[in-house]
């Protein structure tokens, strides 16, 4: 990697000011994705601003009974936090199914949201890539695209967002709290990440100089029955082919409320809003879940090598909804 | 290919490192503010863009003059001559570089040395007490848990942390009930495999590694002796 100057931020304000003053600076927290990118010259910052020692390392209950996860809490600490295990098990399970213990011990909440949406072509600088170099082309269109997007992609970029944690956060209606030199703002989780469109180089709606300070989970009583189903080529320590975060709230035999999100299918965690609307008030049975799955995948545009993802995702949705409707646990 | 001559006007790597360490060791006092979470640290850029830092490795304070881009793994191996931690993939995909920071296992290839000031770093070299091996090291030897040995320091550091994680009640992706994480005595083979999936072994000594963790957890590992069923051939009568 190229050399850079290294600065330790003393406060969120200080970090935001430094980053605003130097447009080529990058924040570093856990660094598990950034250091890897630096090594292959995907990022060439003039300055790294170390925010890892700032006071954003706590998990606390919010006034309305939700949870606020500080941006610097490690993935491990979130997954093992007693209230998360009990009240939001899909979040614990999503985190624990991602990466490895070593990475989860370093990776932070904020960093998990800000890891690059990427594919192997992005990582291999021998190939063009619109995310790396806008306008250079997307080799995945005609190349190997088995792991790529089936929803929301553009001619510019077919990469999928690799996070497991973010799929659960999308399902849980989380809110991202950010701060910059112009002040603080809140971004609903589903608006935080972007689809590629004509700007695949931009993964998120974070403005230059802004940093994530926390992710807030609203209280969702029925999230206790939430599940996370991850399907991949090997049993552990691999990205999802596809994944499902689901929680079903039953009133008798009928679905009172539901949350459904998919990973591994798009440039961002994909919330299945239409399928959720369809499910409310319907009986909780296989046929209903199958119809919801059809709705969720209605706009799917499979590529040369990933046609299997459409059917795989439908079956996974059916499975995840079924298990959650029975009370949750291991899918 | 010609090797550059060492001599006047040339700086060999060894001489350079010697100088750097001496300079850091004598001229620079360790900053006393390191343990304050909000301490500012700006790069004191020398001609080489280097910084003076102090790392605590295996209980000893080490002064270093390094560039910010040096990973913890490279600092350990190339500057501190602690070559137990191995560079396998250098991309956080294999686990060979696993060390403990503040008791937590991490990939030293994916973190920068300058970020580790004020933290307790333990490498494979810091596990034994004098000539007495750590119980996990002993278990690896007794259970045939390695072949070429390249991934072993990382496997052992990860296993040491794994045992501690169980004691602290950490869950894994295969834990059936998140509110009841497994105790050491009931730690299953599936749990061990999942929790060690961040460490690859190309010799595939996995069975021995699982057995070593079982022993270190206080369980009785399966016998390393292969059980072969033998039956006498029956006589063929004409």
């Amino acid at each position: 990697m190229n050399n850079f100057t290294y600065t330790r931020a003393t406060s969120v304000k200080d970090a935001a000011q430094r980053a605003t003053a130097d447009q080529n600076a990058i924040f570093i927290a856990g660094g598990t994705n950034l250091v890897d990118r630096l090594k292959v010259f995907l990022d060439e910052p003039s300055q790294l601003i170390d925010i890892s020692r700032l006071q954003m390392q706590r998990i606390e209950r919010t006034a309305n009974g939700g949870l606020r996860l500080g941006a610097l809490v490690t993935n491990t600490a979130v997954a093992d936090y007693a209230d998360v295990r009990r009240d939001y098990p899909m979040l614990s399970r999503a985190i624990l199914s991602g990466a490895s213990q070593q990475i989860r011990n370093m990776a932070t909440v904020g960093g998990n949201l800000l890891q690059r949406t990427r594919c192997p072509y992005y990582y291999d600088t021998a190939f063009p890539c619109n995310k790396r170099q806008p306008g250079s082309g997307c080799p995945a269109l005609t190349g190997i695209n088995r792991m790529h997007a089936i929803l929301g992609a553009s001619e510019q970029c077919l990469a999928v967002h690799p996070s497991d944690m973010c799929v659960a956060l999308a399902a849980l209606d989380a809110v991202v709290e950010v701060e910059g030199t112009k002040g603080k703002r809140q971004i609903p989780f589903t608006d935080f990440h972007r689809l590629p469109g004509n700007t695949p180089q931009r993964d998120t709606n974070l403005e230059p100089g802004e940093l994530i300070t926390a992710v807030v989970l609203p209280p969702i009583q029925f999230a206790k029955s939430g599940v996370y189903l991850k399907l991949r080529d090997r049993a552990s320590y691999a990205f999802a082919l596809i994944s499902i975060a689901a929680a079903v709230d039953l009133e008798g035999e009928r679905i009172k409320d539901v949350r459904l999100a998919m990973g591994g299918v798009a440039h961002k965690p994909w919330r299945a809003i239409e399928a959720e609307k369809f499910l409310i008030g319907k009986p909780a049975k296989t046929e209903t879940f199958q119809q919801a799955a059809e709705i969720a995948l209605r706009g799917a545009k499979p590529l040369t090598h990933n046609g299997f993802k459409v059917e795989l995702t439908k079956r996974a949705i059916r499975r995840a909804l079924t298990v959650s409707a029975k009370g949750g646990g291991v899918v | 290919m010609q090797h550059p001559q060492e001599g006047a006007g040339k700086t060999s790597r060894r001489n350079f490192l010697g100088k750097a360490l001496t300079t850091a060791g004598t001229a620079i006092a360790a900053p006393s503010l390191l343990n304050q979470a909000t301490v500012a640290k700006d790069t004191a850029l020398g001609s080489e863009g280097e910084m003076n830092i102090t790392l605590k490795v295996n209980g000893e304070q080490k002064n270093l003059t390094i560039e910010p881009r040096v990973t913890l793994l490279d600092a350990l191996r190339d500057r501190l001559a602690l070559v137990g931690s191995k560079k396998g993939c250098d991309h956080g995909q294999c686990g060979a570089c696993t060390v403990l920071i503040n008791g937590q296992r991490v990939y030293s290839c994916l973190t920068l040395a300058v970020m580790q000031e004020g933290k307790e770093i333990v490498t494979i070299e810091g596990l034994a007490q004098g000539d007495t091996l750590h119980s996990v090291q002993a278990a690896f030897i007794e259970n045939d848990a390695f072949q070429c040995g390249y991934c072993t320091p990382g496997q052992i550091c990860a296993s040491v942390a794994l045992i501690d994680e169980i004691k602290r009640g950490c869950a894994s992706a295969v834990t059936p009930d998140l509110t009841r994480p497994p105790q050491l005595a009931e730690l299953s083979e599936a749990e061990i495999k999942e929790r060690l999936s961040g460490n690859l072994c190309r010799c595939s000594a996995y069975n021995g590694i699982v057995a070593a963790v079982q022993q270190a957890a206080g369980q009785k590992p399966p016998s390393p002796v292969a059980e072969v069923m033998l039956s006498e051939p029956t006589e063929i009568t004409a």
Side-chain angles (χ1 to χ4, degrees), chain A residues 1-8 10 18 28-29 31-32 35-36 39-40 48 50 52-53 55 80 85 89 92-93 96-97 100-103 105-106 236-237 330, chain B residues 34 37-38 40-43 45 49 51 68-69 90-93 98 104-107 109-110 112 114-115 117 165 169-171 173 175-176 178 194 197-199:
Chain A
M1 63 185 99
N2 292 339
N3 206 14
F4 38 78
T5 57
Y6 169 84
T7 314
R8 258 178 225 157
T10 53
R18 286 175 187 274
I28 186 164
T32 48
V35 172
D36 197 30
K39 287 182 184 191
V40 282
L48 279 194
D50 182 354
S52 67
R53 295 172 189 241
Q55 303 295 303
D80 276 326
R85 285 182 187 179
S92 274
R93 292 208 180 273
L96 291 169
S97 71
S100 67
Q101 187 72 38
Q102 284 93 321
I103 289 177
N105 284 346
M106 274 206 290
S236 184
Y237 199 24
V330 179
Chain B
L34 289 181
T38 54
K41 186 173 184 96
D42 271 307
T43 320
L45 278 180
M51 303 172 69
R69 63 176 157 175
D90 208 27
H91 286 285
Q93 295 170 9
T98 301
Q104 303 252 319
R105 48 170 150 157
V106 302
Y107 295 144
C109 77
L110 280 190
L112 301 172
V114 291
M115 295 177 72
E117 289 194 290
E165 287 152 16
C170 298
T175 304
L178 290 176
E194 164 60 27
S197 67
N199 291 79

Side-chain angles (χ1 to χ4, degrees), chain B:
Chain B
M1 185 187 141
Q2 277 205 313
H3 289 282
Q5 293 289 305
E6 284 185 25
K10 300 280 182 189
T11 306
S12 76
R13 186 171 165 277
R14 187 174 300 128
N15 284 342
F16 172 75
L17 289 182
K19 266 190 291 202
L21 289 172
T22 316
T23 313
T26 51
I28 309 295
S32 56
L33 290 165
L34 289 181
N35 289 325
Q36 291 186 13
T38 54
V39 61
K41 186 173 184 96
D42 271 307
T43 320
L45 278 180
S47 56
E48 305 281 343
E50 293 175 318
M51 303 172 69
N52 300 309
I53 63 161
T54 307
L55 294 183
K56 191 174 181 186
V57 185
N58 299 330
E60 292 177 27
Q61 297 284 354
K62 304 280 188 182
N63 296 319
L64 288 165
T65 302
I66 54 169
E67 294 177 330
R69 63 176 157 175
V70 177
T71 63
L72 176 59
L73 176 62
D74 287 341
L76 293 169
R77 288 181 56 86
D78 300 344
R79 314 300 170 101
L80 299 175
L82 293 167
V83 292
S85 308
K86 295 294 184 284
K87 185 179 281 196
C89 66
D90 208 27
H91 286 285
Q93 295 170 9
C94 78
C97 68
T98 301
V99 302
L100 308 176
I101 298 181
N102 291 346
Q104 303 252 319
R105 48 170 150 157
V106 302
Y107 295 144
S108 58
C109 77
L110 280 190
T111 191
L112 301 172
V114 291
M115 295 177 72
Q116 309 312 320
E117 289 194 290
K119 297 176 185 175
E120 303 268 347
I121 301 160
V122 174
T123 68
I124 187 76
E125 290 92 343
L127 291 179
Q129 298 286 325
D131 286 340
T132 309
L133 289 180
H134 188 285
S135 58
V136 173
Q137 289 173 307
F140 265 64
I141 293 169
E142 288 163 30
N143 289 278
D144 204 13
F146 53 91
Q147 188 168 301
C148 82
Y150 197 78
C151 73
T152 312
Q155 299 276 4
I156 290 175
C157 286
S159 300
V160 168
L162 186 161
I163 303 266
D164 182 57
E165 287 152 16
I166 300 296
K167 288 176 181 168
R168 287 188 287 114
C170 298
S172 88
V174 299
T175 304
D177 180 352
L178 290 176
T179 62
R180 283 194 61 262
Q183 306 285 304
L184 282 176
E186 58 186 14
L187 186 64
S188 67
E189 212 171 298
E191 282 275 9
I192 294 170
K193 288 176 180 175
E194 164 60 27
R195 289 165 189 263
L196 279 183
S197 67
N199 291 79
L200 306 183
C201 170
R202 290 304 271 158
C203 305
S204 227
Y206 296 116
N207 288 342
I209 292 167
V210 171
V213 173
Q214 287 172 321
Q215 179 177 314
Q219 299 179 13
K220 193 176 183 312
S223 163
V225 180
E227 288 178 20
V228 182
M229 295 290 286
L230 283 175
S231 58
E232 296 295 319
T234 50
E235 280 186 34
I236 299 165
T237 49

